[in-house]
Amino acid sequence: MQTFSVVIVALLSWLVGADVDLCHPRCDCLDTTFYCRRRSLQHFPHDFPNWMQNLNISDNSIGNIDGEDLVKLTGLQILAADGNNLTDIPRPPWNMEQLRELSLSRNALSTLDRGALARFTALQELDVSRNQISVLSNSSSFPTSDSVLRTLNLGHNQIENLDDGCFHDFVNLIELILTRNRIRSLPKDLFSKNIKLEKLDLSRNKLEVLDSLRFQELNSLQVLNLRRNGIRNLSDAAFYGLDRLQHLYLDGNRIQVVERRWLYGLRSLRTMNLSVNNIEKIEDNSWDGMEELHWLQSCRPTWTSAP
C-alpha cells in the first residue's frame, strides 16, 4: 500500500509539472487562462497551445497580430490585447467560430476593418475604445448582417461622422457606447435596424441640436445618456418612439426651455436628469403622460422628485 501511495504522488507531481511546462514562459497560467500582461512582449507569441481559451496580452508593445497565428488557436474564446501598438484588427484567413470577446482598447486603430470583423462569426463583445477612429461608414466599417454582436464600445475615439447605415448590420446589439467622441449630428436612419438596443451612451460629444424622430425605432431602449454635449435645441418629438425608456440623462447641456413637445412619448420614464443646464422656463404641462416618473433632477435644487 505504501508503494502504491508513492507511485500516485509521483504521478500527480508529474502531471502538475506537465501543466506548468505547457504554460508560455512569459505568462502565468491557470487551467485554460493565459495571463501575459505587462511582459514586455514585442511580438505575438507563435507557440500558444490551441486549447487555450482566455488570453490576456494587454499592456505590451505588440504591433501586429497575424491572423494565421490567431486562427490556429481553435479553443480561444476571449482575447484582451488592450494597450499595445496595434494599427489593425487581426484578420484570420478563415472564420473563427469560437471567439466571443475581443478587447482592443488603447491601441492605434484608425478604422474598423469590415473583412476582419466578419471573420469573428461568434463575437458578442467588441471593445475598440480609446483608439484613433474618426469615421464610421456603412461600406467599410462593419461585419455582415448575420453579426451576433451584443456590446460595442467605441468610446473615447475621434468620431465625427456617422453614415446612415453604419450600425444597420448590428441587429442583435444590446449596448452601444459612443461617449467622448466628436459627433455633431445623428442621421435620420442611424438606429433604424437596432430594435433590440437597450442602452445607448452618446454623452460628451458635440451635439447641439436633437432633431425629430432620431430614436423612433428604438422601442426596446431603456437607458439614454446625452449628458455633457452642448444641446441647445430639441425638436418636436425628439424622443418619440422610446416607449420603454426608463432613464434619460440630459444634464450638462444648454437647454433653456423644457417643453412637452419634445418630451412627448416618454410614457415609461422613471428618472430624468436636467441639472447643469440654462433652464429659464418649464411649461406647466411638460410632464403630462409621464405617470411613471418618480425622480427628477433639475436646475432647481428643491426638485428631487417628479413635480
Side-chain angles (χ1 to χ4, degrees), residues 138 162-170 176 185-195 197 200 211-218:
N138 186 33
L162 298 168
D163 281 2
D164 266 2
C166 66
F167 298 122
H168 284 186
D169 291 331
F170 293 103
L176 176 58
S185 64
L186 303 176
K188 183 178 180 181
D189 296 321
L190 182 63
F191 304 117
S192 62
K193 304 296 183 182
N194 308 116
I195 60 175
L197 196 65
L200 175 58
D211 293 315
S212 303
L213 307 177
R214 289 305 185 259
F215 309 110
Q216 63 176 326
E217 305 294 340
L218 300 182

Side-chain angles (χ1 to χ4, degrees), residues 126-161:
L126 175 62
D127 185 351
V128 287
S129 62
R130 299 180 185 274
N131 277 280
Q132 301 169 19
I133 300 168
S134 59
V135 177
L136 297 182
S137 64
N138 186 33
S139 60
S140 61
S141 293
F142 296 112
T144 56
S145 57
D146 58 354
S147 169
V148 296
L149 198 69
R150 294 171 60 87
T151 301
L152 175 58
N153 189 346
L154 285 158
H156 296 259
N157 274 284
Q158 302 169 18
I159 301 169
E160 297 184 16
N161 301 312

Side-chain angles (χ1 to χ4, degrees), residues 21-297:
D21 290 340
L22 289 174
C23 185
H24 193 276
R26 304 288 289 275
C27 305
D28 294 322
C29 302
L30 178 62
D31 294 329
T32 58
T33 296
F34 281 53
Y35 187 81
C36 318
R37 186 184 179 201
R38 294 180 178 172
R39 302 303 166 92
S40 301
L41 295 174
Q42 301 290 325
H43 306 284
F44 186 81
H46 302 282
D47 48 355
F48 286 128
N50 60 6
W51 45 262
M52 177 180 62
Q53 295 182 3
N54 188 339
L55 173 61
N56 189 330
I57 52 171
S58 299
D59 298 306
N60 285 288
S61 301
I62 299 171
N64 178 62
I65 299 178
D66 194 324
E68 295 281 354
D69 291 328
L70 197 59
V71 80
K72 295 175 184 177
L73 304 176
T74 54
L76 189 62
Q77 298 180 20
I78 301 174
L79 173 59
D82 308 310
N84 280 282
N85 300 321
L86 299 174
T87 57
D88 297 295
I89 293 176
R91 181 191 281 259
W94 55 81
N95 290 351
M96 292 189 69
E97 299 178 352
Q98 75 286 348
L99 191 71
R100 295 182 288 104
E101 299 178 20
L102 177 60
S103 187
L104 301 173
S105 178
R106 296 183 290 113
N107 277 282
L109 303 178
S110 59
T111 186
L112 297 182
D113 184 344
R114 179 188 179 96
L117 289 176
R119 296 296 191 187
F120 303 110
T121 56
L123 194 64
Q124 296 183 26
E125 297 184 19
L126 175 62
D127 185 351
V128 287
S129 62
R130 299 180 185 274
N131 277 280
Q132 301 169 19
I133 300 168
S134 59
V135 177
L136 297 182
S137 64
N138 186 33
S139 60
S140 61
S141 293
F142 296 112
T144 56
S145 57
D146 58 354
S147 169
V148 296
L149 198 69
R150 294 171 60 87
T151 301
L152 175 58
N153 189 346
L154 285 158
H156 296 259
N157 274 284
Q158 302 169 18
I159 301 169
E160 297 184 16
N161 301 312
L162 298 168
D163 281 2
D164 266 2
C166 66
F167 298 122
H168 284 186
D169 291 331
F170 293 103
V171 295
N172 292 298
L173 203 62
I174 300 296
E175 182 175 11
L176 176 58
I177 302 170
L178 289 162
T179 186
R180 286 184 178 269
N181 278 284
R182 303 172 183 176
I183 301 169
R184 295 184 178 276
S185 64
L186 303 176
K188 183 178 180 181
D189 296 321
L190 182 63
F191 304 117
S192 62
K193 304 296 183 182
N194 308 116
I195 60 175
K196 296 182 180 180
L197 196 65
E198 296 179 2
K199 297 180 181 180
L200 175 58
D201 188 350
L202 283 160
S203 62
R204 294 174 178 262
N205 277 282
K206 303 292 184 181
L207 296 171
E208 294 186 2
V209 177
L210 203 58
D211 293 315
S212 303
L213 307 177
R214 289 305 185 259
F215 309 110
Q216 63 176 326
E217 305 294 340
L218 300 182
N219 54 16
S220 295
L221 198 69
Q222 298 179 25
V223 181
L224 176 57
N225 190 345
L226 290 164
R227 59 167 42 113
R228 299 188 68 174
N229 267 277
I231 297 173
R232 299 173 180 268
N233 182 35
L234 294 100
S235 301
D236 293 0
F239 302 111
Y240 181 78
L242 299 181
D243 298 335
R244 299 181 185 177
L245 191 70
Q246 297 184 25
H247 308 285
L248 176 59
Y249 301 98
L250 285 166
D251 46 301
N253 284 288
R254 299 177 183 177
I255 300 170
Q256 294 182 326
V257 180
V258 178
E259 301 172 277
R260 185 174 183 269
R261 64 181 182 83
W262 55 261
L263 287 169
Y264 179 76
L266 297 176
R267 64 187 70 178
S268 299
L269 198 66
R270 297 176 60 83
T271 66
M272 183 178 186
N273 195 334
L274 281 165
S275 62
V276 198
N277 273 281
N278 301 326
I279 296 177
E280 299 175 354
K281 179 183 178 182
I282 299 177
E283 290 190 350
D284 293 338
N285 63 345
S286 296
W287 320 115
D288 287 359
M290 298 185 188
E291 287 80 8
E292 301 296 325
L293 187 65
H294 71 274
W295 189 90
L296 171 66
Q297 180 70 46

